[in-house]
Amino acid sequence: MPSFTLLRRLLRFAALTVLAIAAGCATVPPPTLPAAAPVEAFHLVGRVSVRYGDDGFSGSLDWHHAPARDEVLILSPLGQGVAQLVRNGDGVTLTTSDQQVYRAADAESLTEQVLGWRLPLSGLPQWVQARPVAGRAAEVRRDANGLVVRLSQDGWRVEYLDYKAFAAGALPSRVFMDSADLRLKLVIDEWRAE
């Protein structure tokens, strides 16, 4: 029969072994990224997936934004231009791949008319920076680090699934948006202030 001292040593060893295994399995939280300061002008490159009703589209996006101008190029998965949207002081134009040109006062109604789904361009420059549009009612939910995880505004629910360190700081890299029967997912690969 083992001695009492030996039994205590075996129990202590077993307890330390269990603690060591548990510590090895513990997940270490990712380092906290500093939130990026808001920028007025930026260039964003990413991938977009859209579901509207029973239809859908996926491709890529190349977007230059400034307060007075937006230029959004929507590309097919093979890199061919599907549509180019330009917003300036004269309104919004959308040029399709077959060079048809459409005009409207706002991007939302124009994209719905031509593409079948509404691109919420009036709020998108702030939403892709995890910020609500100033002066409009919004609900914002943050995580323990202060990063926005959900934003609701103008009938849209915007969820921030991941952040990435870009030159400007921590910015959303995966954004999921939905409104009524429209679901839009944006994966941001490149981001820079202009």
Side-chain angles (χ1 to χ4, degrees), residues 15-16 45 73 96 103 113 127 130 141 148 166:
L16 288 173
V45 177
L73 182 59
T96 61
R103 290 179 174 74
Q113 172 195 345
W127 296 344
R141 196 173 98 207
V148 175
F166 293 97

Side-chain angles (χ1 to χ4, degrees), residues 39-123:
V39 295
E40 292 288 316
F42 57 80
H43 179 212
L44 179 151
V45 177
R47 290 162 279 144
V48 65
S49 170
V50 182
R51 293 284 317 148
Y52 48 102
D54 294 330
D55 296 320
F57 167 81
S58 63
S60 49
L61 186 75
D62 191 324
W63 178 19
H64 290 270
H65 168 76
R69 180 177 173 85
D70 279 293
E71 186 173 327
V72 181
L73 182 59
I74 301 170
L75 304 159
S76 74
L78 298 176
Q80 299 166 321
V82 172
Q84 181 180 28
L85 186 72
V86 177
R87 178 197 60 87
N88 57 30
D90 297 328
V92 182
T93 60
L94 190 148
T95 306
T96 61
S97 60
D98 60 357
Q99 301 306 304
Q100 295 284 333
V101 179
Y102 301 88
R103 290 179 174 74
D106 64 272
E108 289 79 5
S109 61
L110 184 58
T111 52
E112 184 172 38
Q113 172 195 345
V114 179
L115 302 176
W117 50 276
R118 294 174 73 83
L119 179 67
L121 194 60
S122 66

Side-chain angles (χ1 to χ4, degrees), residues 126-127 130-134 136-138 140 142 148 151-153 160:
Q126 289 77 28
W127 296 344
R131 289 174 167 61
V133 178
R136 299 186 203 166
V140 178
R142 298 177 184 276
V148 175
L151 184 153
S152 297
Q153 191 171 44
Y160 302 95

